[in-house]
Amino acid sequence: MITFYPGPSKVYPVVEQYLQEAFHEGVLSINHRSQACMNLTRTAIDLLHEKLAIPQDYTIYFISSATEVWEIVAQSLTQQHSLHLYNGAFGEKWADYAERIVPQVTRLPFGVETPLLAVDLPSLSPDVVCLTQNETSNGTQLHHWQNVAEQYPDALLAIDTTSSMAGITLDWQKADVWFASVQKCFGLPAGMAIMVCSPKALARAFAIGDRKYYNSLLFIHENFIKFQTHYTPNVLAIYLLAKVLALQPPIALVHERIRQQAQEWYAFLEEHFQENQAEGLYPLVQNQAVRSDTVITIAGKPALIAQLKQQFQTAGITVGNGYGAWKDTTFRIANFPAISSADIWALKEELLKKSYIQYEL
Ligand SMILES: *Cc1c(COP(=O)(O)O)cnc(C)c1O
């Protein structure tokens, strides 16, 4: 079974071995306040700093999911007003969650083909600006947001990198809250997320002083300075994270490979299918400047998409369904680090069968 599902996604094959090691080493039963657990947490955090080049003065926390970070940002970092700029379903969902918690939410949707730098920014004073760096629902990616930083200099910038962190390099200094769950580019089973905070974000948490919830950022922080967690954590997830990160090359090298593979995917689609767009397949996102490196959305007529999905299923290959408005006209493929070039070739071969059929006709 080969999977290109963009989350939960393919786990590194070596996870099988680490699962057994975790069992035999007794990791699955360790107490979460024990020295062994604190050592494990510390190792995983040190490796995140090292492998992903996260600055030493940015703090790292483990929580249950990216969705939980949406909630933590709203509860512990937003006094009055959050501004949400988005072009897809995940960014929109974040605004929906914030709306139930935060007194004032402003939504600024923009087009799939529009670079964020071209978006007109109203004069507002939000506490937090929320951006989705990699919009998993449509395969777009934000590279730059200096216009947002300049327009709202006092706001915290919170960036959802759920489907890009650990796949591409991130310019950590350019935002205050970053987060991702491990079932995407980290190549691990679902059930944990990583939240990274700048000193400015932490200072804001202290200024606001929220302590109302079990997952108030200040409680989380007070536990993590002791390498403990605010609840009994998924120790297996922390163990697997540390084991898998230890094998990773520096993020700059991972980025280079992922970038190259993405460019090859887009070139492949253009080369083989672009000639006759009405019948063929093409990248949903036409503007190359906003195309994602880690989630590639492929569009075509509904009948063709349905037929291909059937064909992939027969070949034992899973792809991601289209999302929301693009449900029937697209499918999505993850370009995450755990996916091998053999997997990619298997999918390209299936796609080529389709193009041969077309050329024979
Ligand atoms: C998958 C995803 C989420 C949700 O992640 P969970 O860990 O399931 O909460 C949020 N944002 C984006 C961009 C995603 O791709």
Side-chain angles (χ1 to χ4, degrees):
M1 189 70 204
I2 298 174
T3 181
F4 286 86
Y5 208 86
S9 52
K10 181 179 177 183
V11 299
Y12 283 104
V14 73
V15 165
E16 181 179 5
Q17 181 193 327
Y18 291 145
L19 285 170
Q20 288 190 2
E21 284 181 26
F23 186 90
H24 288 295
E25 288 172 20
V27 167
L28 302 183
S29 309
I30 59 174
N31 184 296
H32 64 297
R33 307 279 173 215
S34 67
Q35 192 60 46
C37 192
M38 294 193 298
N39 291 346
L40 198 57
T41 302
R42 181 177 197 142
T43 304
I45 288 175
D46 287 349
L47 281 164
L48 283 166
H49 279 293
E50 182 197 328
K51 300 289 182 165
L52 302 188
I54 299 174
Q56 279 307 324
D57 61 345
Y58 276 53
T59 43
I60 299 175
Y61 311 104
F62 300 147
I63 57 257
S64 66
S65 66
T67 304
E68 189 185 359
V69 183
W70 293 343
E71 187 180 271
I72 293 170
V73 169
Q75 286 172 176
S76 295
L77 293 170
T78 316
Q79 211 139 23
Q80 185 62 36
H81 181 189
S82 69
L83 170 63
H84 299 254
L85 289 120
Y86 57 82
N87 71 359
F90 283 100
E92 185 178 17
K93 220 191 247 182
W94 187 356
D96 294 344
Y97 275 81
E99 208 153 61
R100 297 181 205 136
I101 297 171
V102 172
Q104 186 187 356
V105 163
T106 305
R107 296 163 184 262
L108 222 60
F110 56 97
V112 169
E113 303 288 344
T114 312
L116 182 59
L117 292 184
V119 174
D120 252 342
L121 298 173
S123 131
L124 297 165
S125 19
D127 300 306
V128 182
V129 181
C130 302
L131 301 176
T132 304
Q133 191 273 331
N134 197 74
E135 182 46 80
T136 320
S137 66
N138 55 30
T140 54
Q141 178 175 257
L142 307 177
H143 294 285
H144 308 287
W145 50 82
Q146 65 263 32
N147 57 333
V148 175
E150 281 162 19
Q151 177 77 354
Y152 310 111
D154 297 328
L156 295 178
L157 286 177
I159 318 285
D160 184 337
T161 50
T162 303
S163 54
S164 55
M165 186 190 291
I168 60 168
T169 52
L170 298 170
D171 202 347
W172 301 102
Q173 308 284 358
K174 295 234 158 76
D176 301 295
V177 180
W178 301 84
F179 56 94
S181 30
V182 294
Q183 74 269 23
K184 302 205 177 158
C185 287
F186 285 89
L188 292 167
M192 192 170 82
I194 289 148
M195 179 180 186
V196 179
C197 286
S198 72
K200 181 178 166 182
L202 203 56
R204 184 71 58 88
F206 278 105
I208 293 175
D210 161 51
R211 291 176 176 280
K212 287 206 288 283
Y213 310 98
Y214 86 97
N215 60 354
S216 289
L217 184 53
L218 294 179
F219 289 146
I220 299 178
H221 180 71
E222 283 159 10
N223 276 283
F224 268 83
I225 45 183
K226 298 177 288 186
F227 297 103
Q228 293 188 5
T229 47
H230 51 300
Y231 63 108
T232 317
N234 183 344
V235 176
L236 177 61
I238 301 173
Y239 176 89
L240 292 176
L241 176 66
K243 286 289 186 183
V244 164
L245 277 175
L247 295 179
Q248 294 295 310
I251 189 65
L253 292 183
V254 177
H255 179 106
E256 231 171 78
R257 172 167 77 89
I258 291 301
R259 191 82 232 250
Q260 173 80 26
Q261 275 175 196
Q263 281 169 357
E264 283 166 10
W265 264 122
Y266 291 118
F268 173 87
L269 288 168
E270 274 158 14
E271 184 188 339
H272 292 283
F273 301 102
Q274 202 78 327
E275 277 172 39
N276 184 0
Q277 257 206 22
E279 294 303 325
L281 292 173
Y282 49 94
L284 173 72
V285 182
Q286 295 296 304
N287 180 357
Q288 297 188 9
V290 302
R291 277 180 187 166
S292 168
D293 291 320
T294 50
V295 177
I296 292 154
T297 305
I298 302 173
K301 287 241 173 84
L304 174 60
I305 299 293
Q307 176 201 325
L308 275 170
K309 283 203 290 206
Q310 189 61 48
Q311 181 191 328
F312 297 153
Q313 202 174 5
T314 311
I317 298 174
T318 304
V319 297
N321 291 324
Y323 213 99
W326 298 286
K327 193 168 180 301
D328 298 324
T329 53
T330 65
F331 64 92
R332 296 170 304 146
I333 55 172
N335 181 32
F336 295 163
I339 293 167
S340 67
S341 21
D343 295 342
I344 294 172
W345 274 111
L347 180 55
K348 282 185 178 166
E349 254 173 44
E350 287 304 317
L351 286 164
L352 284 172
K353 280 185 196 162
K354 163 67 199 150
S355 91
Y356 289 143
I357 291 166
Q358 212 173 66
Y359 291 138
E360 279 164 15
L361 292 174

